[in-house]
Amino acid sequence: MDSEINSKANLQDILNTLEVDRKKIAETYQTSYILFGLALVILLVGLFIRFVALGIIGCLVPLIIGIVMYFRIDEDVKKYKLTYKMSVVGAALKDINDTLTITPQSGLPEYEFISSELFTTRPDRYKTQDLISGIADKTSFWFAEVHAEYKTETRTKNGTRTEWHTIFKGIVFVADFNKNFEVSTVVRPKSFGDSIGAWFSKNVFSFGNTEVVQLENIDFDNKFVTYSRNQIEARYILTPAMMERILDLNSKSDDTISISFIHSKMYIAFPLSHNYFEPPIHSSLLVPDLLTSDLSIVQFMQDIVHELDLNTRIWGKE
């Protein structure tokens, strides 16, 4: 009991210290924004009174000061965010599961994102962060935020225009399925097939010898398309109970999930627009619901192990 009280007291001390840092950062940003606004006003006044040169010269002083302040605070912001994630989020995770850890500067490696076969497009730009890992009973699991994009280039009169398109933005969850699958089985949203043509030139999922698996759950087949190179193994994985659990899990997600079973792992992609585990800068840290949203998504991810009954070891790794 004493250790729990001491832990909460230490966390409060950390939050109090970080709140001082947050206010300094927020005030610096606010001052920078004011200087940017002042530079714009001076420039507009110069244009209005037809002293363009005076307006340009006059706006440079607050503009340069604002830019210097904005970028000088960058290292403090990085330190503030890292401390928050390691000390505040890291401590809060222990209340859910003592094995949970967060590694802010790590994530899901790009090669694993590609080898999961959840997507048909190879990323041209890939960002990942905030790797959280743990063990629920017998099952190891981990997940991270991922933003993968591909680019298209269009020739114009002035050269080449590059546009970036999102392949996936959200959380990719990985769990040990305790079975070495002979082939890959991939479950994608029904609507996913509509966009395959646009990405076909960068296809990374081989459709050779791959068949659409017809399953006995009509609701499941209406929501998802299942691909596999082994119909028997696919049905062995996607039992009636597993399909019902996946449908139930999908109903709790904001958007339709994608799942793959490859080697000895299960991958689940959850499309999400919210960026989790980031500390506030322009609002206080000292509020009771500070971590509510972040911890709810962690609890949701951990519950997948129970939702899909991954702790029932019906197979053993060969």
Side-chain angles (χ1 to χ4, degrees), residues 170-186:
I171 289 176
V172 177
F173 173 93
V174 191
D176 172 18
F177 207 72
N178 200 45
K179 165 68 176 177
N180 285 321
F181 306 115
E182 291 182 6
V183 298
S184 58
T185 295
V186 182

Side-chain angles (χ1 to χ4, degrees), residues 1 7 14 61 72 77 97 105 114 117-118 120 122 126-127 144 154 168 175 187 203 215 220 250 263 279 306 315:
M1 185 69 176
S7 176
I14 293 169
V61 176
R72 282 188 65 180
V77 174
N97 180 336
Q105 295 166 319
I114 294 170
E117 299 188 11
L118 289 168
T120 60
R122 185 180 296 274
Y126 184 83
K127 297 177 183 177
T154 307
F168 174 77
V187 178
N203 188 291
L215 299 163
F220 192 88
N250 186 69
H263 304 307
H306 303 291
W315 295 311

Side-chain angles (χ1 to χ4, degrees), residues 205-216:
F205 181 78
S206 174
F207 288 90
N209 300 320
T210 301
E211 300 176 351
V212 173
V213 181
Q214 297 297 329
L215 299 163
E216 296 177 359

Side-chain angles (χ1 to χ4, degrees), residues 97 134-142 173-176 242 245 249 266 268 299-313:
N97 180 336
I135 301 172
D137 195 5
K138 302 172 185 176
T139 303
S140 298
F141 66 94
W142 56 98
F173 173 93
V174 191
D176 172 18
M242 175 63 84
R245 292 187 185 105
L249 180 65
M266 178 187 68
I268 310 179
Q299 185 68 60
F300 179 81
M301 292 296 154
Q302 177 176 265
D303 287 346
I304 291 171
V305 174
H306 303 291
E307 292 275 352
L308 300 184
D309 199 23
L310 300 185
N311 280 316
T312 300
R313 299 314 214 193

Side-chain angles (χ1 to χ4, degrees), residues 68-127:
V68 170
M69 290 182 67
Y70 188 90
F71 285 102
R72 282 188 65 180
I73 202 70
D74 189 57
E75 285 302 315
D76 290 339
V77 174
K78 290 178 181 177
K79 182 180 176 182
Y80 165 70
K81 289 184 175 182
L82 183 61
T83 303
Y84 173 83
K85 291 179 180 183
M86 293 296 294
S87 301
V88 178
V89 176
L93 291 177
K94 301 299 181 182
D95 291 335
I96 296 176
N97 180 336
D98 193 52
T99 69
L100 288 172
T101 60
I102 182 169
T103 312
Q105 295 166 319
S106 294
L108 186 77
E110 185 175 355
Y111 74 83
E112 192 166 16
F113 177 86
I114 294 170
S115 64
S116 73
E117 299 188 11
L118 289 168
F119 309 97
T120 60
T121 309
R122 185 180 296 274
D124 292 313
R125 186 162 64 187
Y126 184 83
K127 297 177 183 177

Side-chain angles (χ1 to χ4, degrees), residues 188-191 223-224 250 253-258 269-271:
R188 295 198 182 102
K190 199 86 169 183
S191 59
K223 179 66 69 173
F224 301 103
N250 186 69
S253 179
D254 292 340
D255 207 343
T256 307
I257 63 178
S258 301
F270 293 89

Side-chain angles (χ1 to χ4, degrees), residues 211-261:
E211 300 176 351
V212 173
V213 181
Q214 297 297 329
L215 299 163
E216 296 177 359
N217 188 315
I218 296 174
D219 292 336
F220 192 88
D221 274 348
N222 286 339
K223 179 66 69 173
F224 301 103
V225 179
T226 303
Y227 302 95
S228 183
R229 298 181 184 90
N230 187 324
Q231 296 265 339
I232 295 174
E233 186 175 71
R235 291 189 178 91
Y236 194 38
I237 296 167
L238 296 168
T239 63
M242 175 63 84
M243 285 188 285
E244 287 296 336
R245 292 187 185 105
I246 290 173
L247 284 169
D248 185 53
L249 180 65
N250 186 69
S251 69
K252 297 174 183 177
S253 179
D254 292 340
D255 207 343
T256 307
I257 63 178
S258 301
I259 304 178
S260 64
F261 303 87

